[in-house]
Amino acid sequence: LGVLYFDLGKYQKAEKFFLESLKMANEIGFLERISFANQKLSEIYKLTGKDALALNYYKAYIKANDSIR
């Protein structure tokens, strides 16, 4: 659902789903989902002018993505 809301430009609703996805992924250590959720949250925050949050989630995305490889 997060991707659907993101694609529709409904960033507040997308944020809610990606934060929940990130929480669950962290609980079970699902690195691919952690990486994806962080990437999408970074994009949401960049698009909504929350640059500090965007940077934090981008860094988390890079860290998770590097751990997958």
Side-chain angles (χ1 to χ4, degrees):
L1 285 173
V3 173
L4 176 64
Y5 283 124
F6 182 87
D7 289 345
L8 292 172
K10 297 181 183 243
Y11 301 125
Q12 190 173 16
K13 287 185 178 185
E15 175 191 22
K16 174 186 167 191
F17 283 100
F18 286 122
L19 286 171
E20 185 63 29
S21 175
L22 181 59
K23 179 183 172 191
M24 290 188 293
N26 276 316
E27 288 174 0
I28 62 172
F30 187 3
L31 285 175
E32 288 86 356
R33 185 54 52 182
I34 293 168
S35 175
F36 182 75
N38 277 308
Q39 179 186 28
K40 298 310 278 185
L41 286 163
S42 174
E43 292 176 25
I44 288 168
Y45 294 133
K46 181 68 177 170
L47 290 167
T48 57
K50 299 175 183 174
D51 293 337
L53 278 174
L55 180 59
N56 288 339
Y57 280 96
Y58 182 75
K59 288 178 181 178
Y61 155 68
I62 294 297
K63 182 178 177 182
N65 202 43
D66 286 349
S67 296
I68 294 169
R69 298 176 188 187

